[in-house]
Amino acid sequence: MLTRILIFALVSLLACKPDPVEPPTPVDEKVYTPTIALKDKATFPVGAAVQANRLNLPSLSNLVKKEFNSLTAEYEMKQNIFMPAANTYNWAPADAIVDFAVANGMRVHGHALIWHSAVPDWVTNFAGTDAEFETMIRDYITTVVTRYKDKVASWDVVNEAIADNGGTLRNTIFRERMGDDYIAKCFQWARDADPDVLLFYNDYNAEFDQTKRTAIINLINDFKSRGVPIDGFGFQMHISHDAPSMATLTTAVNQVKNTGVKIHFSELDVRANPNKDLTSLTLARAQSQEARYKAIAELHKSLPANQQFGITVWGIYDDESWLINFWGNIDWPLLFTGEGLYKISHRGFVEGL
Ligand code: XIL
């Protein structure tokens, strides 16, 4: 009898036992909870490239407001968007970004007045004389810079004008129509339209290509000696988690620093999957990327204060990065996951600032 009571008691006890505790959800060490925003830690402006229509998403725009104090239009301030047809301006998308920035006390960096990859068809097919072409471009620059005077602090006047092999001028419609000195003309027109706006030349691969970098330094020094206005250079900084080396990047940045112009890391993103060997982001790769963001922030911080124009990250959510289409493979180059979670790359960036 006693045995039966004991068994009954044991069975009842087991039956009443609460459900076993759920095993803890595995912690994703690739994301974390931030303690401070980038802009609050930084001693120079920290910006992001944004798309006008994405600012309508509250979770994204709140993140932008919280983290950044400088904005760049990812594509809305390029000529193919600004001027889809002759004498026809499309201001609305750019205005949305500029108004958002102004309303939230952010700096606006204009990007980019002249870029061979954003030429509207009607400009490519322009039927007038070379002189008429030049007047059209002058009017374009004057109109755009004048419209955003007092709102846009700085412009990439010409983007990617140096070719990749041998540091010569890239052959573009602007060079063909306006001659080799077209870059200087564009800078001068921008200055004439706004005496206070800062004028940048922006390019890629100067981070590791000594020939291209020398050509850029020569351009800056030539402008200075001729009195052509130029205030800064933008290293685009599309880099990988493991390349170029920090030694290479430091040499590159210091060489351009020696010209005395301001330095912008203008389109920072860090490929975690440059060799296309991953299908999802691993912790090891995320940590390598975290270290990169930290080192890049430290590099910018090492510049003389008056040459620190700031760092702009090229996008917000990983899954919207331009790199995915550009390289044709999955990657996670930015500071936030596709769900808007803080990646540890953000932690590295904060630490370096
Ligand atoms: C890219 C944008 O991210 C894309 O949305 C757009 O379609 C094409 O341009 N160098 C530059 C940027 O200077 O303007 C480019 O941005 C990326 C490479």
Side-chain angles (χ1 to χ4, degrees):
M1 184 62 180
L2 187 65
T3 320
R4 285 176 65 188
I5 290 173
L6 276 175
I7 290 172
F8 177 76
L10 192 67
V11 169
S12 318
L13 197 72
L14 284 174
C16 297
K17 222 179 114 224
D19 288 342
V21 181
E22 288 279 318
T25 332
V27 178
D28 182 357
E29 295 178 59
K30 303 189 297 295
V31 298
Y32 88 120
T33 305
T35 53
I36 187 166
L38 299 168
K39 70 173 164 61
D40 297 330
K41 179 80 190 293
T43 50
F44 49 77
V46 181
V50 293
Q51 302 171 8
N53 59 351
R54 298 298 281 155
L55 289 177
N56 296 325
L57 187 72
S59 52
L60 187 142
S61 65
N62 286 334
L63 206 52
V64 170
K65 280 187 232 175
K66 184 165 181 220
E67 293 292 329
F68 302 102
N69 51 14
S70 180
L71 274 196
T72 300
E74 186 169 346
Y75 55 79
E76 293 85 342
M77 296 171 96
K78 296 168 180 170
Q79 196 182 12
N80 57 340
I81 306 293
F82 259 155
M83 233 183 155
N87 305 313
T88 308
Y89 281 93
N90 167 36
W91 303 117
D95 283 357
I97 292 174
V98 172
D99 292 348
F100 176 90
V102 170
N104 292 292
M106 306 163 109
R107 178 178 80 180
V108 183
H109 175 68
H111 172 86
L113 294 169
I114 296 293
W115 185 30
H116 67 277
S117 286
V119 182
D121 288 346
W122 70 270
V123 171
T124 306
N125 303 325
F126 190 80
T129 64
D130 289 351
E132 285 163 350
F133 183 96
E134 185 165 320
T135 303
M136 176 272 291
I137 292 295
R138 190 197 63 203
D139 289 349
Y140 171 71
I141 289 177
T142 306
T143 304
V144 172
V145 174
T146 302
R147 178 182 175 88
Y148 292 104
K149 211 173 165 193
D150 303 326
K151 289 186 176 171
V152 168
S154 48
W155 275 103
D156 289 330
V157 180
V158 178
N159 192 27
E160 304 182 353
I162 308 292
D164 288 316
N165 296 316
T168 53
L169 273 186
R170 185 190 295 277
N171 246 332
T172 67
I173 181 114
F174 307 104
R175 183 186 183 197
E176 281 168 20
R177 293 295 216 134
M178 293 158 57
D180 283 359
D181 210 24
Y182 82 91
I183 307 175
K185 291 177 185 172
C186 294
F187 273 74
Q188 190 60 57
W189 295 327
R191 167 62 69 246
D192 294 345
D194 185 349
D196 298 321
V197 77
L198 296 173
L199 305 177
F200 281 72
Y201 175 70
N202 194 58
D203 214 329
Y204 65 90
N205 285 7
E207 293 85 353
F208 60 84
D209 180 339
Q210 179 70 66
T211 309
K212 190 166 186 175
R213 189 164 64 246
T214 301
I216 291 166
I217 291 170
N218 290 343
L219 179 143
I220 295 168
N221 288 334
D222 171 56
F223 277 20
K224 288 186 144 199
S225 68
R226 289 197 284 148
V228 178
I230 183 163
D231 301 292
F233 173 64
F235 283 95
Q236 290 187 2
M237 284 287 172
H238 298 295
I239 58 174
S240 291
H241 71 102
D242 58 351
S245 72
M246 285 315 298
T248 299
L249 290 172
T250 305
T251 302
V253 169
N254 284 334
Q255 278 183 11
V256 182
K257 174 199 80 178
N258 290 340
T259 65
V261 299
K262 292 183 191 303
I263 304 290
H264 187 195
F265 295 173
S266 56
E267 305 181 15
L268 175 63
D269 42 31
V270 178
R271 291 168 77 194
N273 197 16
N275 300 321
K276 314 189 180 190
D277 58 334
L278 299 184
T279 50
S280 63
L281 181 60
T282 60
L283 179 58
R285 210 55 75 75
Q287 286 169 337
S288 180
Q289 185 184 55
E290 174 184 9
R292 237 6 169 56
Y293 269 99
K294 180 177 179 189
I296 291 294
E298 287 171 343
L299 178 57
H300 199 80
K301 225 183 150 174
S302 74
L303 290 164
N306 65 340
Q307 287 177 275
Q308 295 172 9
F309 186 70
I311 302 180
T312 297
V313 179
W314 206 248
I316 308 295
Y317 292 167
D318 268 349
D319 60 352
E320 296 178 3
S321 165
W322 75 292
L323 289 171
I324 296 170
N325 276 335
F326 188 79
W327 293 108
N329 68 289
I330 185 75
D331 210 321
W332 312 269
L334 299 170
L335 303 172
F336 305 98
T337 69
E339 296 84 35
L341 301 175
Y342 282 74
K343 292 168 61 195
I344 56 176
S345 51
H346 178 281
R347 181 172 66 197
F349 201 8
V350 166
E351 278 172 15
L353 286 170

